[in-house]
Amino acid sequence: MTKIELLIVICLALFLFGAVCNVVKIDKLALKDVFEKHFLIGAALNDDIVSGKDPQAAEIVEKQFNTVTAENVMKWEKIHPKLNKYDFDASDRFVDFGLKNKMFIIGHTLIWQSQIPGWAFVDSSKKLLSRDAMLARMRDHIFTIVGRYKGKVKGWDVVNEALNDEGEFGKTKWLETIGKDFVAKAFEYAHEADPKAELYYNDFSLDKPAKRDAAVRLVKDLQAKGLRIDGVGIQGHWGMDYPIREDLDAFIDSIGALGVKVMVTEMDIDILPVASNYMGADINIKVDLQKKLNPYVDGLPDEVQKKLTDRYSELFAQLLAHKGKVSRVTLWGVYDKTSWLNNWPVRGRTSYPLLFDRNYQPKAAFYAIIKAAEKTK
Ligand code: XIL
């Protein structure tokens, strides 16, 4: 072998060694380690993941995350489908999965106006329940569920989406039957049922000033009543230019100032065209609209992928910049294929909102948020 040949072989060997090291290093990267000093990081889990039907997704969760939220199985319609019937099969599986993996388990959600059957608010003659009867039903629901997972579920989204964009209570059956203190009552019962569990208020658009101020009032009101509230979750169903930086900063600062935790509880970033922008637009043919609203059925073009990556990076950098104030970031799902955004707000779209792609591979956004953490001292 000539000297030149030897040199080439050595260079090749070094190159291969470097590449292997890199692969191993990347393979070892786990979000829960990267963000350990900053916040808990997690995902919402569907039943396929915990029941063993989607083992590749389960593997991602076990490796990457240290907190899990029930995507659907603890919602009223699933866990309490009939008046005298609770169904704990799926919720038990979810909690067992979290316990087995020593994760911080979040129960989602006790009191909400969606995904709840109509019977919950009426008596046997379909008449709206009285305040007292509704309170009794609410108490039974909360005691049964929180009681069952006492000491296991560490934090509960006690009330979800009670406020509207104007900063008032939304017109829900909860408000109609019980009155404004339905929120306080829910927190009171949840605390009685498990005094050690953390209790949260959870909602979307809390960056919008009127809604943010309403959330601040809500927390203050609970605190003034001497009730336990540990945190406020902003859902984080975000887009390419929403929320704006100043509003998100103001939300984190104002909730943080109340001495409660700030959490991003349902994060995903929607890169697809905003459906409401097309309402009333000059598009007559349905097929055309379908195409316009669902443009990336065969994959994201590079420049769009880059935009999504940059947006993830920017938002994580912003959350990290509020040192210590954000206590948890939970993604609303594990990988793109099973995200709820494939079917909302438009059915049957091909969506790209999460950190893992349709083939369970980490996306550029995954590496970008790791970089954002590395840049944060
Ligand atoms: C969504 C689930 O992801 C879907 O699977 C289900 O069909 C509808 O609900 N805000 C919430 C979540 O608080 O519970 C919702 O989850 C998404 C919006």
Side-chain angles (χ1 to χ4, degrees), residues 71-72 75 108 112 115 160-161 235 237 266 332 340:
E71 184 176 2
N72 284 303
K75 291 172 181 172
H108 173 84
W112 190 23
Q115 294 183 266
N160 196 30
E161 301 183 356
Q235 290 181 359
H237 298 295
E266 305 185 11
W332 203 243
W340 76 303

Side-chain angles (χ1 to χ4, degrees), residues 14 70 80 87 112 117 129 133-134 155 183 192 221 305 326 333 341 372:
L14 283 175
H80 191 177
D87 183 348
W112 190 23
L129 290 184
M134 194 71 233
V183 175
E192 268 176 56
D221 178 56
Q305 185 78 263
V326 177
L341 292 178

Side-chain angles (χ1 to χ4, degrees), residues 274-312:
V274 179
S276 56
N277 290 351
Y278 288 79
M279 300 279 207
D282 188 18
I283 299 164
N284 302 315
I285 311 160
K286 226 177 147 205
V287 176
D288 189 25
L289 183 60
Q290 283 283 345
K291 264 197 194 151
K292 284 219 159 74
L293 289 176
N294 189 21
Y296 309 124
V297 278
D298 299 321
L300 280 189
D302 288 350
E303 76 274 11
V304 183
Q305 185 78 263
K306 180 164 187 320
K307 274 191 199 156
L308 177 70
T309 304
D310 290 349
R311 185 70 178 134
Y312 255 109

